[in-house]
Amino acid sequence: MNGRDLVRSVRAVPSAVPSAVASAGSVQWLRAVRASWRRRRADAAGLAARGPERARVPGAVVGAEPEPGGGVVRFARSALRIRVAVGGAVFWGWDGAEPGPSYALAGVCPEADPRAVLEPDKDGGWRVVSERVTVVVSRHGAVEVCTPGGVTLRRDLPPRWWEPEGGGAARWVQRSEVAADARFFGLGGRASGPRLRGGTYRLWNTDPGGSFGPGDDPLSITMPVQLVVADAGTHLVFHDSTWDGVVSLREGGEGAGSGHDRAGTSELRMDGGPLRCWVVVGTPARVLQVWTQLTGAPCVPPSWALGYQHARWGFGHAQEVRRVVAGYKERGLPLEAVHLDIDHLAAHEVFTVDKERFPALPFLAEELRDQGVRLVSIVDPAVKARPGGAVYEGGRALDAFVRDAGGEPARGVVWAGESVYPDFTAERVRAWWGGLYEERLAQGFAGFWHDMNEPVSFAAFGETTLPRSSRHALEGRGGDHQEAHNVYGLCMARAGYEGLLGLRPRERPFVFSRSGWVGMQRYGGTWSGDVVSGWPGLRASLSLVLGLGLCGVPYSGPDVGGFDGHPSPELYLRWLQLGSYLPLFRTHSALRAGRREPWTFGDEVLGHARVALEERHRLVPYFVTLAHLAQRSGAPYVRPLWWGAPEDRALRDVEDAFLLGDALLVAPVTEPGARHRRVRLPRGRWYDTATGAVFEGPGLVTVEAPLSRVPVLARAGAVIPVRGEDGGLVLEAWAPVRGATGSGVVVADPGDGWEEPAIERFRTRWSGGRVVVEPDAGDVGEEGAGPVAYPVRVRGV
């Protein structure tokens, strides 16, 4: 074991366990050290030494073969397949790489666009021309992505491979250039951002081994997905390899006077896997729409999961859960769900219940359900290696666990002690695991959060629980953990989602996962993990949500207040106010970090917290609408300010404000003591929803930010569905600019099943000195299509 492993083991166990079980920390620590030694020995024996390597580049072009949607360009030492899919996404793969098999794609690969043609280009190169993009291949293997007008958005230099002389996976590097004014976003969940400045970002899902802040990287969800925004256009590029890698980014610079521009650069280095990628070009809205057509539509969570939820590591017993819920109800505070952490499990074993502390869990769940509160259960992937344990014995009988290179079940040390890990890359294992959720449903749980599924172990925080030499099924292809690690959490989410779908087919499953990969939105959402309790943690929360949304995962949120630490009353309140406008709105903390119920911070904070909680309760119909629109269009609920105007360079640099849908602009307070804040506005008229003050964009304005609220601005002409005092749906319309019109979309909540909801469109206009709200009938005349079926509240007149 090297020194880094030992330090991580020491840091992980004694600091991670609660004080109530500190006496067991030394035992866990010894197990962790032993497991770390075992992991190191397994890799030393199971992974072949790379030995001498030889470098290779494509060489010169020698010919081409047209195919539907593109074709194959052959070089002296490689071949490049290019294919434009119906919808405009462009695929290319080197060395014969095809789009599949891929964990990222939803179903079959989209059909090729027959209108796209491979044809000769100048200087011995080739090009594929399609409706929305032109791909130019030079005679030495450089690939340029251009707009139909010929403006270059991205230029990939010829790739380079390093192949072991004795055989094995080839390492490769792909260097790319983008416009001097381009800005990088994406790469999964990053605490620094959402704009990704110059630096190196690792692509290896990792538990940081404690609370993290903006300087920590990588985190639990890394994705080789870049969204690049420049004056010339927006494009998304996805390199479809699940192996370990790093991305090095450098923003460009524009020359002053007669000086030359310096292109922005991206360098991707991967330890293996195919060199293949997808590129989508267009407006941000179109890019995300095509992207989710490729990778799968986001799940729509049950409507209750769009309200406020409370969690804590350390409820301890059922009576404490009742006490907390009663505290919310007595004070008239909205609460939709309570989450139970590992302390409700018997000896921390998955799919069990501690019968002493939770003696009648189904009755507790029913009691809470009668009060409108659901129970959500944590589910970890590690299975305690205990002979006689139901889950362990069932997995052994099925041969369900990941094996090391020697053929024995690979082991790690987690909360339950020595544990083994299901191989979720096997369909039969996913089916078995999904069936185990029947026990959770019988206990009364309505939703599930997957934790520790990078996967992680106290023996290897910052790396991986399993030896890299461990063997996985990989859907029958076979391979080791180097290839399977990044998709482990994704496959676990799939197992849970599909299992719940089979057990309760009439209900939409609610699953969110700490770790995942491209396409995880098909099965649910995610949360921040153990973000640090501090103002940097608050800022990191917003970065994570924005970045994940631009990678196609729209449902996410942080542990409000930070997981481990003692937020000041002001920090807690500002974080709660931010969380009330994020998709997953959940407080969560460790018991040693103190209680996080709003009333524990004093009467003043309680009063202001009530405003935030009630506002979220009021906006749930709007979140329901955004969830259904995300499923159809891929547009995230939370969007950067440049979403509708990517050509506005000033908006690209804004990282402390966001759009909630198209209608609202939220400017959270991210610094202590602030009572005003500067907000850069997109074009148009905006109303302060609290004061009614009017602001004109584009430009920089100062808005009030008292302790009681954060600034929220509504777009002129917007129509927003909200919950009325009687619980029914109300349309809140904001006056458009005189002489102009506005619009809004409403998706009424159809329930938590699979009923197809109606999408209703409304418009606002001035008529005879008053604002009129009417159904938007498209080609119907000036008077619209009849009366509005909902009460209407006009604001901003």
Side-chain angles (χ1 to χ4, degrees):
M1 181 175 66
N2 60 26
R4 181 178 61 182
D5 289 337
L6 180 60
V7 169
R8 282 176 172 147
S9 299
V10 172
R11 175 189 178 191
V13 178
S15 63
V17 295
S19 57
V21 294
S23 60
S26 58
V27 176
Q28 292 282 54
W29 182 84
L30 290 173
R31 290 173 176 169
V33 171
R34 184 175 63 181
S36 189
W37 274 109
R38 188 167 56 228
R39 179 175 59 88
R40 185 172 176 82
R41 289 198 307 269
D43 280 345
L47 290 178
R50 294 196 67 90
E53 296 179 318
R54 57 175 178 268
R56 174 169 61 90
V57 295
V61 68
V62 296
E65 303 164 10
E67 295 178 346
V72 177
V73 181
R74 299 199 177 276
F75 297 84
R77 290 178 291 278
S78 188
L80 173 68
R81 169 168 278 110
I82 302 176
R83 182 180 303 158
V84 179
V86 172
V90 180
F91 169 83
W92 68 74
W94 287 94
D95 284 357
E98 294 279 358
S102 170
Y103 279 104
L105 301 186
V108 298
C109 179
E111 295 181 2
D113 184 350
R115 299 170 297 175
V117 179
L118 178 66
E119 58 188 29
D121 194 42
K122 61 185 179 180
D123 298 329
W126 292 83
R127 66 179 181 177
V128 177
V129 179
S130 67
E131 180 182 6
R132 298 183 181 274
V133 65
T134 298
V135 181
V136 180
V137 182
S138 78
R139 61 192 180 96
H140 289 292
V143 180
E144 289 189 18
V145 178
C146 305
T147 67
V151 179
T152 299
L153 297 177
R154 185 181 195 89
R155 183 172 187 266
D156 283 7
L157 303 178
R160 181 181 295 268
W161 295 266
W162 286 269
E163 300 170 330
E165 292 183 355
R171 298 182 296 120
W172 52 266
V173 60
Q174 177 69 75
R175 296 183 176 93
S176 308
E177 296 177 348
V178 297
D181 66 286
R183 296 290 182 262
F184 297 99
F185 301 87
L187 294 183
R190 302 288 168 172
S192 299
R195 171 184 159 195
L196 301 175
R197 289 170 171 78
T200 299
Y201 302 86
R202 192 177 177 195
L203 299 170
W204 187 254
N205 291 349
T206 304
D207 181 340
S211 297
F212 68 86
D216 292 305
D217 185 82
L219 300 178
S220 297
I221 302 176
T222 66
M223 299 182 185
V225 178
Q226 297 177 32
L227 190 72
V228 184
V229 184
D231 287 355
T234 300
H235 73 274
L236 178 148
V237 61
F238 163 52
H239 289 88
D240 193 355
S241 170
T242 65
W243 288 63
D244 194 356
V246 294
V247 180
S248 298
L249 302 177
R250 187 189 71 177
E251 292 183 342
E254 294 181 294
S258 60
H260 295 289
D261 289 351
R262 187 187 76 244
T265 62
S266 170
E267 181 182 274
L268 173 62
R269 291 180 175 269
M270 300 296 286
D271 284 350
L275 203 176
R276 58 184 180 181
C277 76
W278 288 89
V279 175
V280 183
V281 174
T283 64
R286 182 184 178 277
V287 166
L288 265 294
Q289 182 178 32
V290 174
W291 175 237
T292 51
Q293 288 173 354
L294 281 173
T295 62
C299 286
V300 176
S303 56
W304 59 264
L306 294 168
Y308 171 65
Q309 306 173 54
H310 182 90
R312 187 206 298 163
W313 178 27
F315 275 117
H317 50 78
Q319 286 305 110
E320 176 66 5
V321 175
R322 290 186 174 94
R323 188 196 69 79
V324 170
V325 172
Y328 279 97
K329 297 303 178 181
E330 290 168 4
R331 295 167 177 83
L333 300 175
L335 177 66
E336 296 291 342
V338 169
H339 297 216
L340 299 188
D341 210 319
I342 56 173
D343 51 293
H344 87 279
L345 301 172
H348 298 155
E349 287 195 55
V350 66
F351 299 119
T352 65
V353 175
D354 187 324
K355 297 297 180 63
E356 291 187 5
R357 291 182 294 152
F358 291 85
L361 190 52
F363 292 101
L364 173 63
E366 183 178 1
E367 175 188 327
L368 297 184
R369 180 76 71 103
D370 290 342
Q371 301 177 61
V373 178
R374 273 79 169 178
L375 275 184
V376 175
S377 171
I378 192 171
V379 178
D380 287 357
V383 175
K384 183 176 179 64
R386 179 174 65 86
V391 179
Y392 176 68
E393 293 296 348
R396 277 212 312 176
L398 188 66
D399 190 20
F401 301 123
V402 177
R403 291 186 173 273
D404 61 25
E408 296 297 320
R411 296 195 176 199
V413 178
V414 204
W415 298 116
E418 289 274 344
S419 301
V420 291
Y421 296 82
D423 183 4
F424 296 117
T425 70
E427 183 178 5
R428 61 183 179 81
V429 176
R430 291 195 296 268
W432 164 71
W433 185 265
L436 298 177
Y437 286 74
E438 185 173 10
E439 181 274 339
R440 297 283 85 187
L441 294 174
Q443 297 294 339
F445 289 107
F448 305 92
W449 52 301
H450 292 175
D451 199 4
M452 305 288 285
N453 60 339
E454 287 76 15
V456 76
S457 167
F458 300 151
F461 270 126
E463 276 296 316
T464 170
T465 288
L466 303 174
R468 290 180 178 238
S469 57
S470 300
R471 304 301 299 171
H472 291 260
L474 289 168
E475 316 309 323
R477 293 179 287 110
D480 61 31
H481 196 65
Q482 297 177 104
E483 184 176 359
H485 173 81
N486 279 338
V487 295
Y488 190 85
L490 171 74
C491 294
M492 181 185 178
R494 179 180 178 182
Y497 179 86
E498 292 179 346
L500 292 167
L501 201 59
L503 294 167
R504 296 282 176 86
R506 296 184 179 181
E507 298 179 12
R508 296 199 303 272
F510 177 49
V511 175
F512 64 103
S513 172
R514 189 170 80 176
S515 185
W517 201 63
V518 177
M520 64 181 297
Q521 73 277 358
R522 300 190 296 260
Y523 314 117
T526 184
W527 92 103
S528 64
D530 299 347
V531 64
V532 68
S533 293
W535 292 94
L538 184 155
R539 292 188 286 272
S541 298
L542 180 55
S543 297
L544 285 158
V545 173
L546 280 165
L548 286 164
L550 295 175
C551 291
V553 184
Y555 183 82
S556 66
D559 287 345
V560 168
F563 176 73
D564 196 5
H566 299 275
S568 68
E570 181 188 14
L571 173 59
Y572 168 81
L573 180 59
R574 291 307 197 188
W575 212 324
L576 192 77
Q577 290 165 341
L578 166 62
S580 67
Y581 295 100
L582 299 179
L584 173 59
F585 182 23
R586 181 181 87 144
T587 52
H588 183 221
S589 62
L591 179 60
R592 66 176 178 268
R595 302 188 185 279
R596 295 284 174 82
E597 295 84 43
W599 55 89
T600 62
F601 290 88
D603 290 343
E604 182 183 15
V605 170
L606 173 61
H608 298 328
R610 181 187 306 278
V611 174
L613 294 175
E614 290 179 346
E615 178 65 2
R616 174 53 174 256
H617 187 68
R618 192 180 76 93
L619 285 176
V620 163
Y622 186 45
F623 277 91
V624 169
T625 294
L626 294 177
H628 283 280
L629 293 180
Q631 185 184 55
R632 287 160 173 76
S633 69
Y637 313 14
V638 171
R639 308 166 187 176
L641 293 192
W642 49 258
W643 178 260
E647 72 282 354
D648 189 331
R649 296 188 179 188
L651 293 179
R652 290 182 215 156
D653 295 337
V654 176
E655 301 179 273
D656 61 352
F658 60 92
L659 298 174
L660 182 59
D662 285 332
L664 297 178
L665 189 160
V666 182
V669 174
T670 61
E671 300 290 344
R675 299 298 180 264
H676 294 82
R677 62 152 296 171
R678 302 275 277 173
V679 181
R680 184 167 293 280
L681 299 179
R683 185 176 302 277
R685 176 173 295 176
W686 298 85
Y687 298 96
D688 187 316
T689 58
T691 67
V694 180
F695 302 97
E696 299 290 342
L700 195 62
V701 301
T702 300
V703 293
E704 296 179 8
L707 193 60
S708 59
R709 61 180 175 84
V710 294
V712 179
L713 307 179
R715 190 189 300 271
V719 179
I720 306 171
V722 299
R723 179 178 280 146
E725 293 181 1
D726 63 354
L729 193 148
V730 174
L731 300 185
E732 186 170 85
W734 290 87
V737 177
R738 288 185 181 270
T741 61
S743 63
V745 176
V746 176
V747 180
D749 186 2
D752 293 337
W754 299 97
E755 296 82 1
E756 187 69 20
I759 299 179
E760 302 173 273
R761 294 175 172 81
F762 299 91
R763 66 174 176 173
T764 56
R765 61 184 177 88
W766 285 92
S767 176
R770 67 190 184 95
V771 174
V772 174
V773 179
E774 58 194 4
D776 189 348
D779 56 357
V780 176
E782 179 71 13
E783 297 303 319
V788 175
Y790 307 106
V792 176
R793 181 187 304 125
V794 177
R795 301 186 63 185
V797 178

